[in-house]
Amino acid sequence: MSNITLFTKNGCPQCRMTKNYLRSHNIQFTEHNINEEPQYISYLKDQGFQAVPVLEADGVKSFYGFRPEALKQLAG
């Protein structure tokens, strides 16, 4: 799996759990924190998302929230 992007925000427990899952399974990802990079808020809203974390990856339908079952697909 390549090109995994995770959109997060400060103080978000689900964001932290998602990042911890990816890191513990040695899955490389790019993080965009909407508190530090607010330009991504409009992008996420345009995609239909109203909450973070949002994960985008090649070959996987984008999703939000902490979803261990979906993350298992990325871990292979």
Side-chain angles (χ1 to χ4, degrees):
M1 201 61 55
S2 61
N3 296 326
I4 296 171
T5 303
L6 182 65
F7 298 90
T8 63
K9 70 177 182 178
N10 296 340
C12 167
Q14 290 189 349
C15 298
R16 187 174 56 251
M17 291 187 304
T18 301
K19 288 191 291 186
N20 287 343
Y21 184 98
L22 294 172
R23 289 179 181 144
S24 69
H25 289 84
N26 296 315
I27 300 170
Q28 297 291 318
F29 65 96
T30 300
E31 180 180 0
H32 293 294
N33 183 309
I34 61 171
N35 295 111
E36 298 164 12
E37 300 174 277
Q39 67 269 27
Y40 287 107
I41 295 171
S42 295
Y43 170 77
L44 292 172
K45 286 182 178 179
D46 290 346
Q47 302 299 313
F49 294 106
Q50 298 179 4
V52 290
V54 171
L55 188 139
E56 296 180 335
D58 294 341
V60 175
K61 186 176 182 338
S62 298
F63 62 89
Y64 73 94
F66 177 62
R67 300 198 179 173
E69 290 302 316
L71 293 171
K72 283 180 186 176
Q73 291 179 335
L74 300 175

